[in-house]
Amino acid sequence: MPDTPETPGPDEPSLEEQIAAYQREFQDLDPQVEKVVSALGRLNRRMNVAYGRQVAALGISNAEWEVLKTLVVSGAPYRLGPGELAKRLGLTPAAMTHRIDRMAGEGLVTRDRDENNRVRVIVELTDEGRAKWLEAMRMASSFEEDLLQDLAPEERTVLGDVLIRLLRRVEDTQPDAGGRLTDLE
């Protein structure tokens, strides 16, 4: 597949300009490595903006979307304690409490005492929260299909495999890179 020029955002240099500037200041830079890493970074930022617009159209924030996803991934009945939610999202317990308060007020989750342990609180996805999650998934799926439309199925497979290898490398060498996972226990 031929290279196509990357379209920079407003007031942002193209990747080629950015790499040339880096090389001017740091001669040991490998331009191939920098092209991959910079492209991944820009792609991630732009995808986050697109996802943010989609969930905003549904009346929820990216932060709320993350909680909904985490509850769904936990499996039916879509319930977790606030501490477990905080750990999975890499948040402090105080930040998680604030997020849960807001979401409970919006009817996206409920927060109740565990019947088996009255000290423990359980956060559960509501029907409204699940409906928002499903609609966000429909929107994201359409966006993602459009994003990958120029890649053949084999290219998608190779790209997915390569990205998983990169992710594993980061997870193996930077175990805390996922957020506050170990210091909350």
Side-chain angles (χ1 to χ4, degrees):
M1 176 185 289
D3 280 346
T4 57
E6 179 246 346
T7 305
D11 302 320
E12 185 176 35
S14 70
L15 281 181
E16 292 77 15
E17 292 169 333
Q18 177 180 321
I19 292 167
Y22 287 176
Q23 284 181 297
R24 182 182 66 239
E25 301 297 325
F26 181 66
Q27 290 75 34
D28 293 339
L29 182 81
D30 182 334
Q32 289 178 314
V33 170
E34 191 58 38
K35 182 177 183 179
V36 169
V37 172
S38 293
L40 285 171
R42 286 187 186 195
L43 178 61
N44 182 54
R45 285 194 314 272
R46 285 167 173 80
M47 288 177 68
N48 283 336
V49 168
Y51 290 134
R53 286 184 184 130
Q54 291 175 346
V55 297
L58 298 174
I60 60 175
S61 68
N62 277 338
E64 291 168 331
W65 165 241
E66 292 298 325
V67 173
L68 296 178
K69 285 191 308 186
T70 302
L71 287 168
V72 168
V73 168
S74 75
Y78 315 116
R79 303 172 63 182
L80 289 171
E84 182 63 22
L85 272 170
K87 182 178 175 185
R88 291 183 186 195
L89 292 170
L91 298 172
T92 64
M96 191 73 252
T97 297
H98 177 70
R99 198 172 290 185
I100 292 167
D101 288 346
R102 192 172 61 241
M103 293 179 73
E106 295 169 1
L108 301 172
V109 299
T110 59
R111 180 182 40 215
D112 294 306
R113 295 274 173 210
D114 185 339
E115 293 176 13
N116 299 323
N117 178 351
R118 300 298 296 163
V119 175
R120 186 170 185 247
V121 172
I122 297 292
V123 178
E124 184 171 349
L125 188 66
T126 64
D127 290 341
E128 182 177 345
R130 182 159 168 75
K132 295 268 185 184
W133 177 82
L134 284 169
E135 186 57 30
M137 287 300 293
R138 286 184 194 95
M139 296 168 80
S141 181
S142 176
F143 167 73
E144 292 158 359
E145 281 294 326
D146 186 55
L147 176 69
L148 299 177
Q149 70 180 339
D150 296 330
L151 298 181
E154 305 81 36
E155 291 175 306
R156 291 179 184 197
T157 298
V158 169
L159 178 60
D161 291 346
V162 167
L163 291 173
I164 293 293
R165 283 180 23 216
L166 294 175
L167 178 60
R168 285 191 182 131
R169 170 75 62 177
V170 171
E171 290 173 344
D172 289 347
T173 62
Q174 306 292 320
D176 63 340
R180 297 175 47 102
L181 301 177
T182 56
D183 61 346
L184 292 177
E185 295 178 28

